[in-house]
Amino acid sequence: MASFNKVSIPSSQARAELHDSLSLTGAEISINNLPAGTGVPFVHAHKQNEEIYAILSGSGRAEIDGETVSLAAGDWLRISPEARRQFFASEDTALSFICIQVKVHSLESYTKDDAIV
């Protein structure tokens, strides 16, 4: 069995969830592309998972627990599981982002503390 998985996602694809295609065991990662003037069609929260968003291109906004947060390429955003959220592309620019979903408080070590050299 290979010690890695690789998948290619077309940049034109509206949404891709990578859990199954990469056989992820500790996270869910999705790639999301919202055309200008559109938004995610639902408000959501989570039971256990925090979400980390990386804005790749474009601009837009997130509505988080009634607060508006402006988004632009290069922004990173972490949202608690219980926060209610919804994302929107600006009227004149598409919004492309990655969402990483992990169980809150599950990270035990990272970077050099987890490395074997």
Side-chain angles (χ1 to χ4, degrees):
M1 181 173 175
S3 59
F4 66 92
N5 294 327
K6 178 184 173 187
V7 64
S8 293
I9 306 297
S11 60
S12 61
Q13 189 168 333
R15 179 173 167 84
E17 293 179 352
L18 303 180
H19 180 269
D20 292 339
S21 60
L22 289 177
S23 301
L24 300 175
T25 64
E28 168 62 299
I29 300 172
S30 64
I31 301 167
N32 303 270
N33 296 296
L34 295 175
T38 67
V40 174
F42 54 87
V43 176
H44 78 285
H46 287 277
K47 297 174 188 172
Q48 300 182 57
N49 296 338
E50 65 185 0
E51 289 182 324
I52 301 98
Y53 292 87
I55 309 305
L56 302 176
S57 65
S59 64
R61 73 183 194 284
E63 299 289 335
I64 305 167
D65 285 341
E67 185 175 339
T68 300
V69 178
S70 295
L71 301 172
D75 288 347
W76 286 81
L77 179 66
R78 180 238 175 226
I79 304 178
S80 299
E82 65 279 355
R84 298 188 55 75
R85 69 211 70 170
Q86 188 173 16
F87 286 77
F88 301 89
S90 63
E91 289 301 317
D92 59 350
T93 307
L95 181 65
S96 178
F97 59 92
I98 292 174
C99 177
I100 303 165
Q101 204 179 120
V102 295
K103 185 175 180 180
V104 71
H105 304 299
S106 64
L107 186 62
E108 295 178 359
S109 62
Y110 57 96
T111 314
K112 68 178 182 175
D113 292 337
D114 189 55
I116 301 171
V117 182

